[in-house]
């Protein structure tokens, strides 16, 4: 009788362990998959385009669409290089947003580019635009350069040119 009780107890323990394992498997299958960690936006995970705008005058709208599979952070403002310029186009500090622009896959960040002003000088017709994305510290760039296609006839740029910080909407970017 003692053997039967031990065998029954062992069978019951085995059944309980199997049911807990099965419940754990069901719970694991039902739990949402862990979301991939966000990355810094770069030329590798975005498509960069430039649009001419009617207003404000002497402005372009730069767009960066997250084409990757992970969320990316668009830190600061883009580093822009027109043609073979020696220095990056200055950032417009007044345009700093309240938070880092976060792009889910398929979303777009916007930055306005002021190309010239009546106070500017040393102007020229630019035909190429290189775009680099800022690192988290905003003291350098990440990844390679993205080429943004400018209008066929080029764009007049002078030493008053600037670029805004990344914004979540075109209207926010173009208010500067």
């Amino acid at each position: 009788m003692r053997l039967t009780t031990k065998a029954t107890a062992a069978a019951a323990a085995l059944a309980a362990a199997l049911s807990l394992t099965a419940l754990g498997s069901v719970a694991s299958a039902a739990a949402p998959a862990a979301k991939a960690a966000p990355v810094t936006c770069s030329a590798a995970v975005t498509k960069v385009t430039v649009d001419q705008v009617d207003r404000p005058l002497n402005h372009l709208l730069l767009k960066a669409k997250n084409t990757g599979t992970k969320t990316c952070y668009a830190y600061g403002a883009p580093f822009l290089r027109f043609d073979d310029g020696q220095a990056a186009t200055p950032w417009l500090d007044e345009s700093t947003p309240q938070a880092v622009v976060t792009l889910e896959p398929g979303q777009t960040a916007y930055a306005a580019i002021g190309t010239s002003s009546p106070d500017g000088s040393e102007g020229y017709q630019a035909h190429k635009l290189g775009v680099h994305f800022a690192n988290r510290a905003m003291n350098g760039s990440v990844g390679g350069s993205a080429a943004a296609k400018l209008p066929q006839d080029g764009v007049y740029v002078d030493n008053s040119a600037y670029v805004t910080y990344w914004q979540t909407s075109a209207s926010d970017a173009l208010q500067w």
Side-chain angles (χ1 to χ4, degrees):
M1 184 137 139
R2 197 163 188 205
L3 285 175
T4 308
T5 306
K6 282 186 178 182
T8 304
L14 179 61
L18 288 174
S19 68
L20 285 175
T21 302
L23 284 175
S25 296
V26 170
S28 297
K35 198 170 185 182
V39 297
T40 300
C41 294
S42 68
V45 297
T46 62
K47 179 181 180 185
V48 177
T49 57
V50 173
D51 291 338
Q52 285 187 295
V53 295
D54 294 330
R55 296 237 186 269
L57 294 176
N58 304 326
H59 277 69
L60 299 172
L61 180 64
L62 179 65
K63 300 181 204 176
K65 182 177 182 178
N66 181 353
T67 58
T69 58
K70 298 177 183 177
T71 298
C72 74
Y73 296 131
Y75 293 109
F79 292 104
L80 302 182
R81 182 177 177 192
F82 285 97
D83 290 339
D84 296 322
Q86 294 287 325
T89 303
W91 293 359
L92 185 64
D93 289 332
E94 295 85 18
S95 68
T96 304
Q98 292 184 356
V100 172
V101 175
T102 303
L103 301 178
E104 298 293 331
Q107 289 185 323
T108 302
Y110 305 86
I113 304 168
T115 57
S116 62
S117 76
D119 297 332
S121 62
E122 301 174 27
Y124 63 97
Q125 201 72 11
H127 296 279
K128 295 186 296 183
L129 178 63
V131 179
H132 286 269
F133 289 83
N135 61 23
R136 185 175 181 167
M138 298 186 298
N139 61 3
S141 62
V142 294
S145 176
K149 188 175 181 178
L150 293 175
Q152 184 176 353
D153 295 334
V155 173
Y156 183 78
V157 179
D158 66 25
N159 64 0
S160 68
Y162 64 86
V163 63
T164 67
Y165 280 68
W166 290 114
Q167 306 292 328
T168 56
S169 73
S171 60
D172 286 347
L174 291 172
Q175 74 178 341
W176 306 99

